[in-house]
Amino acid sequence: GQQLNQSPQSMFIQEGEDVSMNCTSSSIFNTWLWYKQDPGEGPVLLIALYKAGELTSNGRLTAQFGITRKDSFLNISASIPSDVGIYFCAGRGGGSQGNLIFGKGTKLSVKP
Amino acid sequence: DTAVSQTPKYLVTQMGNDKSIKCEQNLGHDTMYWYKQDSKKFLKIMFSYNNKELIINETVPNRFSPKSPDKAHLNLHINSLELGDSAVYFCASSHGDRGFRRETQYFGPGTRLLVL
């Protein structure tokens, strides 16, 4: 079946640094979504991407849908302590309706 | 004002018991989902319902049975609970129509199930 590889698994950075994480798929995806999960909460949608090559920003967050449709990245600029959490990519290819496949998450820690 | 809500937030129970988790969404969405998140934080879809009709049923033991009384509710009933069922269960919803909006799923806060 379709698989998503998300990297890195975890990151420890200093406040103010920029962060980059990415996901690659074994097959073509039609949609890429990026979620953030805070401890004890459900995933919250950050950015949704629907077209190959699309670059979308949400405040300090920027995400891109790769041209090959097999990858996506998320950048966070000038990180702050509240950026701490687990970031998940999720994608959907052809086939099952609404069946999102999630990456294994990138755990972000920010030192003040 | 909560968009997707779940009850209970925490559920501690003995092996062999039967339990239910409830989910409600007030977003007017047509499609609802149940996900399981294991101890390694891996999220996997279990079920998907569109307009009260089952459209996805991943490889899940038949001890798990979803029930959708109406479009706004999708409950999860679990029979004969086992230790391995301990996890966080998330409900989610999305628009059920064709097009891109269908892809965007909104999650509830989760139900933390611990089977002893």
Side-chain angles (χ1 to χ4, degrees), chain B:
Chain B
D1 279 274
T2 309
V4 182
S5 58
Q6 294 177 230
T7 53
K9 185 161 185 177
Y10 299 95
L11 183 53
V12 182
T13 187
Q14 298 284 341
M15 240 172 38
N17 283 350
D18 303 339
K19 290 293 178 186
S20 289
I21 308 172
K22 294 186 177 184
C23 178
E24 176 181 3
Q25 54 92 6
N26 62 6
L27 296 165
H29 287 166
D30 292 321
T31 306
M32 295 183 73
Y33 312 82
W34 277 108
Y35 284 85
K36 181 180 180 182
Q37 187 174 46
D38 62 25
S39 56
K40 294 185 179 176
K41 304 297 183 186
F42 184 53
L43 267 165
K44 193 169 188 317
I45 191 164
M46 300 171 69
F47 300 102
S48 168
Y49 264 74
N50 179 265
N51 263 321
K52 302 196 298 172
E53 204 175 306
L54 180 67
I55 55 172
I56 291 173
N57 180 0
E58 293 293 315
T59 309
V60 174
N62 54 17
R63 298 181 294 104
F64 290 79
S65 51
K67 293 271 190 300
S68 182
D70 55 58
K71 263 177 28 168
H73 295 86
L74 181 63
N75 303 324
L76 184 65
H77 189 75
I78 316 170
N79 288 330
S80 304
L81 278 155
E82 300 177 356
L83 295 176
D85 296 333
S86 297
V88 183
Y89 292 84
F90 287 102
C91 176
S93 72
S94 70
H95 286 285
D97 57 350
R98 288 186 175 204
F100 300 134
R101 293 187 305 164
R102 174 162 59 98
E103 324 295 2
T104 306
Q105 296 182 15
Y106 296 87
F107 284 77
T111 295
R112 284 129 197 92
L113 171 64
L114 177 61
V115 182
L116 302 173

Side-chain angles (χ1 to χ4, degrees), chain A residues 27-105:
Chain A
S27 54
I28 288 173
F29 274 12
N30 296 326
T31 304
W32 284 97
L33 305 172
W34 284 93
Y35 287 86
K36 183 192 178 198
Q37 187 176 18
D38 289 329
E41 302 292 331
V44 172
L45 183 68
L46 299 173
I47 292 179
L49 301 160
Y50 301 117
K51 269 169 50 174
E54 184 180 352
L55 183 72
T56 297
S57 292
N58 177 5
R60 293 177 296 106
L61 277 60
T62 303
Q64 183 156 33
F65 192 142
I67 288 289
T68 64
R69 294 167 66 193
K70 290 186 176 183
D71 63 322
S72 176
F73 72 74
L74 174 72
N75 286 344
I76 306 172
S77 62
S79 57
I80 59 178
S82 63
D83 290 335
V84 162
I86 302 178
Y87 292 79
F88 291 98
C89 63
R92 181 188 172 276
S96 305
Q97 302 172 41
N99 192 7
L100 278 186
I101 299 167
F102 279 80
K104 293 189 176 177

